[in-house]
């Protein structure tokens, strides 16, 4: 019903049964592979469905499909298309910057965790495609195999996507978009307040994000970062929202996002500032 393992493992499993199935590609293409083999043609393999979509209906939080008149003799196997459709998509590049807080929600200094990658290893931009579910059915969470023409490109597991919603599918790391990120302390007001028997400093942090597009075409880049502290300013023009977790604490969590377009060869610098309370 769905692929619950990596593509490589799935292909290996299919290869073990190739004498019965007619080759590993039969596990992916179903009846199309058999018909090509029977006709002994060298035409390109078609991955389009050869049967109509199954009927489906919601049942509480489930969506059940039904196919009648299925009879299999002992040892026989069958593959049926659930549904197939064409949907709109767009290319989107994403940069999610890992959050490494300096202090916790109450101003206690956090010691660096050696198991967490430092900022020099979190500047990865992913080339993704955003898919709009305009079909009559919801999409369950399962591995998706991406091809361009007849060439395999990638495999990823998108989340459950209801009808009318969108989801993002990772393609590959975008090595032609270079990024860097740094934060530095620009001011400190010492012994500014006293509470709960402790003295606190108010520290202002400035962050700088630098991106450059080395591709020969324009790209749309979505950037996201979560900081521990109170946002002061954000450039270009970004959006921010104070998250519900620790909203009543000294240092709330704030989510920063940018959605920008970069022309070929263009370089952009984004900045933000926030304040944090640190127990002295």
């Amino acid at each position: 019903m769905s692929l619950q393992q990596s593509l490589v493992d799935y292909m290996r499993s299919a290869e073990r049964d190739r004498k019965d199935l007619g080759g590993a590609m039969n596990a992916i293409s179903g009846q199309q592979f058999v018909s090509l083999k029977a006709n002994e043609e060298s035409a390109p393999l078609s991955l389009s469905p050869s049967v109509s979509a199954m009927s489906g209906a919601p049942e509480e939080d489930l969506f059940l499909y039904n196919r009648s008149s299925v009879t299999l003799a002992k040892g026989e196997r069958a593959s049926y298309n659930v549904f197939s459709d064409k949907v709109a998509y767009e290319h989107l590049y994403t940069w999610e910057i890992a959050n490494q807080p300096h202090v916790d929600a109450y101003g206690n200094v956090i010691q660096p965790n050696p198991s967490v990658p430092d900022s020099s290893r979190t500047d990865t931009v992913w080339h993704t495609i955003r898919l709009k579910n305009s079909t009559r059915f919801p999409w369950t969470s399962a591995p998706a195999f991406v091809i361009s023409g007849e060439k395999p490109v990638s495999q990823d597991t998108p989340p459950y996507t209801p009808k009318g919603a969108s989801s993002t599918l990772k393609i590959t790391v975008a090595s032609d978009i270079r990024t860097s990120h740094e934060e530095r302390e620009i001011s400190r007001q010492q012994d500014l307040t006293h509470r709960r028997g402790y003295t606190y400093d108010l520290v202002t942090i400035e962050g700088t994000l630098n991106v450059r597009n080395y591709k020969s075409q324009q790209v749309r880049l979505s950037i996201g970062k979560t900081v521990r502290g109170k946002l002061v300013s954000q450039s270009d023009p970004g959006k921010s929202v104070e998250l519900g977790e620790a909203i009543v604490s000294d240092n709330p969590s704030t989510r920063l996002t940018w959605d920008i377009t970069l022309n070929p060869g263009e370089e952009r610098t984004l900045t933000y500032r926030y304040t944090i309370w640190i127990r002295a």
Side-chain angles (χ1 to χ4, degrees):
M1 296 300 295
S2 64
L3 184 59
Q4 297 295 335
Q5 59 193 133
S6 71
L7 180 62
V8 174
D9 292 338
Y10 186 62
M11 295 292 287
R12 288 173 179 168
S13 176
E15 178 65 20
R16 288 195 294 268
D17 298 330
R18 63 186 178 85
K19 292 183 180 180
D20 296 328
L21 296 177
M25 283 305 297
N26 186 40
I28 296 179
S29 59
Q31 297 176 9
Q32 288 74 26
F33 180 85
V34 176
S35 63
L36 287 173
K37 182 179 180 182
N39 297 332
E40 296 183 351
E41 296 175 352
S42 59
L45 179 66
S46 172
L47 295 180
S48 59
S50 61
V51 294
S52 59
M54 292 184 185
S55 60
E59 182 66 32
E60 297 297 335
D61 289 329
L62 302 175
F63 197 92
L64 306 179
Y65 299 93
N66 176 64
R67 182 177 179 85
S68 58
S69 304
V70 175
T71 302
L72 297 177
K74 182 179 179 180
E76 287 186 333
R77 304 187 186 196
S79 175
Y80 298 101
N81 181 64
V82 177
F83 71 88
S84 178
D85 209 339
K86 293 183 178 180
V87 299
Y89 72 95
E90 62 174 333
H91 291 272
L92 179 65
Y93 293 80
T94 61
W95 179 21
E96 182 61 35
I97 306 168
N99 181 35
Q100 299 181 26
H102 309 287
V103 297
D104 64 13
Y106 299 99
N108 300 302
V109 176
I110 298 176
Q111 297 300 324
N113 187 346
S115 63
V116 176
D118 57 33
S119 59
S120 64
R121 288 176 286 174
T122 60
D123 297 329
T124 300
V125 176
W126 277 92
H127 179 192
T128 68
I129 53 175
R130 179 171 290 172
L131 303 167
K132 174 77 172 180
N133 184 3
S134 56
T135 69
R136 296 180 293 124
F137 310 101
W139 298 343
T140 188
S141 178
F145 183 44
V146 182
I147 61 172
S148 177
E150 297 176 1
K151 299 177 181 179
V153 176
S154 70
Q155 181 187 15
D156 189 28
T157 303
Y160 175 86
T161 310
K163 293 183 293 183
S166 298
S167 62
T168 300
L169 188 65
K170 285 184 177 180
I171 302 297
T172 186
V173 172
S175 55
D176 288 340
I177 300 180
R178 298 294 179 88
T179 64
S180 63
H181 166 237
E182 67 173 5
E183 289 188 346
R184 61 188 180 91
E185 178 181 328
I186 61 173
S187 68
R188 179 184 292 258
Q189 296 174 269
Q190 295 182 332
D191 301 336
L192 189 62
T193 187
H194 301 265
R195 52 178 174 265
R196 297 187 294 271
Y198 297 102
T199 300
Y200 290 83
D201 299 343
L202 184 63
V203 179
T204 301
I205 303 293
E206 182 177 78
T208 302
L209 310 177
N210 186 267
V211 294
R212 182 167 183 175
N213 178 21
Y214 285 91
K215 290 183 172 294
S216 59
Q217 70 263 14
Q218 186 183 81
V219 300
R220 180 184 170 193
L221 178 62
S222 177
I223 305 173
K225 177 173 175 57
T226 301
V227 299
R228 173 72 73 183
K230 185 74 172 180
L231 184 67
V232 175
S233 63
Q234 185 180 6
S235 69
D236 288 86
K239 296 181 179 180
S240 65
V241 59
E242 213 167 89
L243 303 181
E245 58 177 275
I247 197 169
V248 296
S249 65
D250 297 328
N251 296 317
S253 291
T254 303
R255 175 70 177 172
L256 312 180
T257 57
W258 291 266
D259 196 345
I260 64 175
T261 299
L262 292 174
N263 294 319
E266 182 180 359
E267 185 173 6
R268 187 85 62 86
T269 298
L270 314 176
T271 61
Y272 59 93
R273 287 188 181 186
Y274 64 97
T275 59
I276 55 174
W277 291 102
I278 297 180
R279 198 175 78 181

